[in-house]
Amino acid sequence: MRRNILIFGPPGSGKGTQAARIAERRDIAHISTGDMLREAVAAETDLGLQVRAIIERGDLVTDELMLGLVKERLGQADAKEGFLLDGFPRTVAQAESLLELAAKENRPIELVVLLDVPDEELLERALARGRADDTKETIHHRLSVYREQTEPVLEALAGKVTIETIDGVGDLDSITERIERVLDAANSPQG
Ligand code: AMP
C-alpha cells in the first residue's frame, strides 16, 4: 500500500480541506503543520509564542523548529500506519531532511499530490476564507513566499518521488475524487 503521501499546493489551493478528507477515507494520519502551529499559538505554548508573529506576517517558521515538530509527530503511533503531510516540506532544506529521515526509517514517501489552482482564484478563495492571518497583504506575501521558497521543493523532489498534478478547480467532491483516482492508480499493481 502506498500510504506515505505529501500534499502540495499554494496557500488557498484547498489542500487542507482535501488532505483532511483523504486522510479520513484512507485512515492515515493527517499531519498539517499549519494546524499544529496555530494550535500552539492558541494554547500560548513556548512554540506558539515563538512563531506567532512569523505566522501573522505570512513568513516561514525556521527549518529547525519545523523539523523538530514533524519528527516528533511522525514518531507517534498513528503516523506509523501512514501519513498525509500537509504544509510540509515548504523549503528545499525541509524536503532533503524529510527524504533522509524517510530513508533512514524505511518509510518512503510514495507520492506527491500537487493541487494546481490559478493565482486569481487563490486570492479570491483566501479572502473568502477570512482567517485571522488572511489580510490582502499577507495573502500576497504568502503567495510570493510559496513561489520563491516552496515551489523549488518540487524540483528537488522530481526524479525521487512521483509527483501527480491535480486540477484543483471545481467542487470539493470532484477534486477529492480526482485525488482518490490518482492514489488508487498509484496503489496498483505491486500493492
Ligand atoms: P498553512 O496552514 O499550511 O498555510 O500554514 C500557516 C502558516 O504556518 C504558514 O504561513 C507558515 O507561517 C507556517 N508554516 C506551516 N508549515 C510550515 C513549514 N513547513 N515551514 C515553515 N513554516 C510553516
Side-chain angles (χ1 to χ4, degrees), residues 161-182:
V161 184
T162 307
I163 301 173
E164 293 280 2
T165 303
I166 308 270
D167 178 5
V169 180
D171 62 276
L172 284 181
D173 288 342
S174 324
I175 299 166
T176 306
E177 286 316 311
R178 285 174 208 154
I179 299 173
E180 285 284 348
R181 273 202 299 272
V182 161

Side-chain angles (χ1 to χ4, degrees), residues 29-44:
H30 174 204
I31 303 181
S32 160
T33 48
D35 285 350
M36 290 165 81
L37 294 172
R38 277 185 293 276
E39 278 161 24
V41 170
E44 299 184 352

Side-chain angles (χ1 to χ4, degrees), residues 39-190:
E39 278 161 24
V41 170
E44 299 184 352
T45 62
D46 284 349
L47 173 70
L49 295 174
Q50 277 185 77
V51 302
R52 186 184 163 157
I54 300 172
I55 295 177
E56 282 172 359
R57 284 200 303 272
D59 283 327
L60 294 184
V61 173
T62 63
D63 290 337
E64 197 188 348
L65 264 182
M66 293 312 302
L67 269 168
L69 196 68
V70 168
K71 265 189 196 167
E72 191 189 325
R73 183 64 187 88
L74 288 177
Q76 288 168 11
D78 63 329
K80 305 268 175 167
E81 304 299 318
F83 55 80
L84 177 50
L85 265 173
D86 159 14
F88 184 97
R90 248 182 169 93
T91 65
V92 170
Q94 289 178 12
E96 283 168 353
S97 302
L98 177 65
L99 288 183
E100 216 172 275
L101 180 76
K104 197 171 89 190
E105 296 189 349
N106 198 19
R107 300 161 80 187
I109 309 295
E110 289 118 330
L111 192 70
V112 178
V113 172
L114 169 63
L115 279 183
D116 184 34
V117 179
D119 277 9
E120 318 85 79
E121 174 137 355
L122 291 174
L123 293 168
E124 244 169 64
R125 287 191 198 177
L127 285 170
R129 193 165 61 166
R131 221 166 61 188
D133 57 346
D134 280 351
T135 65
K136 210 166 190 166
E137 290 69 34
T138 51
I139 292 164
H140 275 285
H141 185 58
R142 280 211 304 272
L143 205 52
S144 65
V145 168
Y146 177 81
R147 300 285 179 224
E148 283 162 25
Q149 300 194 58
T150 304
E151 263 183 354
V153 170
L154 293 168
E155 287 147 44
L157 292 176
K160 296 180 181 149
V161 184
T162 307
I163 301 173
E164 293 280 2
T165 303
I166 308 270
D167 178 5
V169 180
D171 62 276
L172 284 181
D173 288 342
S174 324
I175 299 166
T176 306
E177 286 316 311
R178 285 174 208 154
I179 299 173
E180 285 284 348
R181 273 202 299 272
V182 161
L183 294 180
D184 284 341
N187 264 339
S188 56
Q190 293 98 335

Side-chain angles (χ1 to χ4, degrees), residues 3 21-29 78 81-82:
R3 298 198 114 190
R21 289 176 156 217
I22 299 291
E24 160 115 52
R25 286 194 188 196
R26 305 217 154 219
D27 200 21
I28 55 179
D78 63 329
E81 304 299 318

